[in-house]
Amino acid sequence: MAVSATPLSSTLVVRYQSGTTPAGGPVIRQKSLNDVKADATEQDVYDVAAALFSLGQHPVINVLLKKNFELLNQ
């Protein structure tokens, strides 16, 4: 039996450093943007995240793209 995957919406998660702790360690926060189109390319999603967070003052640690699929047994 073959399984087919149907893409659903995706979530963009950007982790950034918002400051430092009293001990000197980084304070990491994240912002999630839901309902990213499933057919958006990874490069386009990254470019949008970079453009949005370039407007702020906090350095970006990493950019994550979480994709959701529906798996159907056919």
Side-chain angles (χ1 to χ4, degrees):
M1 290 186 204
V3 174
S4 66
T6 303
L8 302 173
S9 65
S10 300
T11 301
L12 169 66
V13 180
V14 179
R15 297 181 67 223
Y16 59 94
Q17 182 177 347
S18 64
T20 56
T21 65
V27 175
I28 305 298
R29 303 236 187 261
Q30 71 180 30
K31 183 69 178 172
S32 298
L33 302 171
N34 298 319
D35 298 324
V36 174
K37 285 188 170 184
D39 60 349
T41 66
E42 288 84 4
Q43 184 66 53
D44 288 342
V45 172
Y46 184 86
D47 290 344
V48 167
L52 286 174
F53 279 84
S54 72
L55 301 173
Q57 60 185 353
H58 302 298
V60 172
I61 303 300
N62 61 356
V63 179
L64 306 170
L65 180 60
K66 298 180 179 182
K67 294 185 176 188
N68 296 310
F69 293 89
E70 180 181 17
L71 300 178
L72 300 172
N73 189 10
Q74 296 183 359

